[in-house]
Amino acid sequence: MVSTSGISPLDETRGELLREASIEAEASGRVKTREESGPARSLLVFYLGSEGFAVDLVHVRKVMRPSRIARVSGAAPEVLGLMNCQGEVLCVLDLRRILSQGKETDPPVATEGKFIVVVQHGGKEAGFLVDAVRDVAELPASSVRPVLDSIDPSRARLFEGTVACGGRFVGLLSPSACLNP
């Protein structure tokens, strides 16, 4: 339904809420703090084993539990298979294998207890199998640091940088590079 102004009621409500939040933030001085720290980035933080990673929420379509994944014969080693995702076919990738590039890793024995993070970028979409999804962190864009020197140069292209989340450094993944291993 569209109002006489051409704006949907949902957009009007959203705009009203944003205006109210802005007024409240100004009153509490939070706007000044945000201006000082720069624009914020919202990141989804997840783990492969004990190693933490993050991806910008702008690229995350959904997080879900895996259902039956059908193997595809002749597919690249990082392709776990295809899965039904709300009536659409979703390619599920083994992020662990993508990040290990060139090192042999055993395929995951089971997907039980794991998650699939569905990422979209540049017209491509795929699900990454991860062990745990921990947090959504909002950090100033200025807090993104360069990729750590300890990262293998062959893997460095898969990262946008490094961020500190919960007292640990996590690699900020590049969706473009991870979707095109």
Side-chain angles (χ1 to χ4, degrees):
M1 173 180 249
V2 177
S3 71
T4 56
S5 66
I7 300 173
S8 74
L10 181 61
D11 289 337
E12 287 178 344
T13 303
R14 185 179 293 134
E16 202 172 301
L17 288 171
L18 288 173
R19 280 190 295 279
E20 287 176 21
S22 175
I23 291 167
E24 188 177 317
E26 278 182 7
S28 67
R30 285 183 279 176
V31 169
K32 184 176 181 186
T33 303
R34 184 173 290 152
E35 287 171 356
E36 291 170 357
S37 63
R41 287 185 75 171
S42 296
L43 307 174
L44 178 70
V45 180
F46 57 90
Y47 285 83
L48 293 173
S50 63
E51 197 170 0
F53 299 94
V55 66
D56 201 310
L57 272 179
V58 168
H59 304 292
V60 177
R61 187 170 146 224
K62 67 179 87 176
V63 175
M64 55 195 242
R65 293 285 188 174
S67 62
R68 186 178 162 283
I69 298 173
R71 302 260 180 227
V72 179
S73 62
E78 64 270 7
V79 176
L80 288 172
L82 303 175
M83 184 179 99
N84 180 348
C85 178
Q86 298 175 332
E88 296 178 20
V89 176
L90 177 69
C91 179
V92 179
L93 302 174
D94 184 351
L95 188 57
R96 186 175 270 111
R97 189 173 289 271
I98 291 169
L99 293 172
S100 69
Q101 287 194 335
K103 298 177 187 170
E104 283 302 312
T105 60
D106 294 328
V109 177
T111 59
E112 189 175 321
K114 298 188 182 205
F115 294 88
I116 293 182
V117 176
V118 181
V119 175
Q120 222 174 15
H121 185 273
K124 291 187 176 188
E125 180 177 277
F128 295 121
L129 184 67
V130 303
D131 294 333
V133 175
R134 292 285 188 231
D135 199 6
V136 172
E138 189 163 316
L139 304 169
S142 61
S143 68
V144 177
R145 301 289 176 228
V147 176
L148 296 175
D149 291 335
S150 60
I151 300 291
D152 184 318
S154 66
R155 285 181 50 184
R157 71 173 191 80
L158 299 169
F159 296 92
E160 289 182 26
T162 306
V163 293
C165 290
R168 295 182 64 174
F169 284 110
V170 298
L172 178 58
L173 295 175
S174 164
S176 174
C178 290
L179 288 171
N180 298 295

